[in-house]
Amino acid sequence: MIITLTPNPSLDRTYAAETIHLGGINRAHATRVDAGGKGLNVTRALTAAGTASVAIFPAGGPDGAQMIAELAASQVPAHPVPVDIDTRSNVTLVDAAGTTTKINAPGDTLSSRDVSELLDALRDEVAQATAAGHSPVVVGAGSLPAGLDDDFYGHVAEVCTGLGARLVLDTSGAPLARAVATGGLELIKPNDEELAELTGRELVTVGDVVDAATQVIDQGTRSV
């Protein structure tokens, strides 16, 4: 059982046009709306492949309700946590050549109660998976909404460690650094820029990457 946690989901609105003119009027010939966020995408892909998964995420306002409805229509298992803020909406522009321009909103600030309820939802799903005989894996994924403490994924790691779940983390910057410092991560998957920032190394060769990954493993992460 793979449980995903996405603290900063979005309703993704995509507009396709023949050409995109900055500063002008652009007419789309196709549009689509999807529930977005790295963890949601992981659960969506796993479900399509026949692997048990459920997505935990905060949802609020009209866009949050539309996101929940889209996941239900797509038969993607979800555990939304109601919040008082509005779920963010991201915009993607795609032209005929396939050039993609994304505008991502930062996301409103979650309250301390919202954070507690997200972690409670995680505890509930891990407990249910364990009771059903599964060995749960948690995937924490994506950026943090504005105002959320950089220690959030560290708290997630502590919850997972306490309940015997393994935590895979896909994030970057200060939230990644704090979680690695907390320890107890099963796997992280940084790209070269994220790994260089995390370790303070210049990564020029494959050997540089191996050394940087080893440095992270020595801090208490099982795999990089």
Side-chain angles (χ1 to χ4, degrees):
M1 179 64 174
I2 300 177
I3 302 159
T4 66
L5 176 61
T6 306
N8 198 20
S10 61
L11 190 67
D12 291 343
R13 304 177 185 276
T14 301
Y15 299 86
E18 287 300 317
T19 56
I20 305 294
H21 300 288
L22 295 180
I25 295 175
N26 298 278
R27 300 190 184 280
H29 60 74
T31 65
R32 62 178 294 152
V33 178
D34 301 285
K38 284 187 175 180
L40 296 179
N41 291 338
V42 170
T43 292
R44 191 189 300 275
L46 289 169
T47 300
T51 298
S53 181
V54 61
I56 301 171
F57 57 94
D63 284 350
Q66 187 171 353
M67 188 163 63
I68 293 170
E70 193 275 324
L71 291 169
S74 301
Q75 298 184 318
V76 176
H79 184 151
V81 175
V83 294
D84 292 331
I85 62 173
D86 289 338
T87 295
R88 65 179 178 151
S89 184
N90 294 337
V91 175
T92 300
L93 307 177
V94 183
D95 66 17
T99 302
T100 299
T101 301
K102 293 182 66 69
I103 302 173
N104 289 347
D108 287 338
T109 302
L110 295 178
S111 68
S112 58
R113 185 191 69 180
D114 296 334
V115 174
S116 294
E117 291 183 353
L118 273 177
L119 295 177
D120 285 344
L122 176 61
R123 292 186 185 95
D124 289 346
E125 290 293 345
V126 170
Q128 289 180 40
T130 301
H134 300 293
S135 179
V137 173
V138 174
V139 177
S143 63
L144 302 183
L148 192 61
D149 192 276
D150 288 336
D151 283 334
F152 175 76
Y153 282 124
H155 299 316
V156 172
E158 291 169 353
V159 168
C160 292
T161 299
L163 296 175
R166 293 171 290 167
L167 175 60
V168 174
L169 185 58
D170 181 12
T171 189
S172 60
L176 176 60
R178 294 285 188 90
V180 167
T182 299
L185 303 179
E186 178 72 15
L187 169 71
I188 65 170
K189 54 156 298 295
N191 60 31
D192 55 353
E193 292 179 359
E194 292 164 351
L195 184 59
E197 180 183 11
L198 177 63
T199 58
R201 293 170 174 262
E202 184 179 7
L203 307 182
V204 178
T205 68
V206 173
D208 293 336
V209 173
V210 172
D211 289 343
T214 301
Q215 177 182 330
V216 176
I217 290 170
D218 289 343
Q219 290 179 262
T221 295
R222 184 181 175 100
S223 300
V224 179

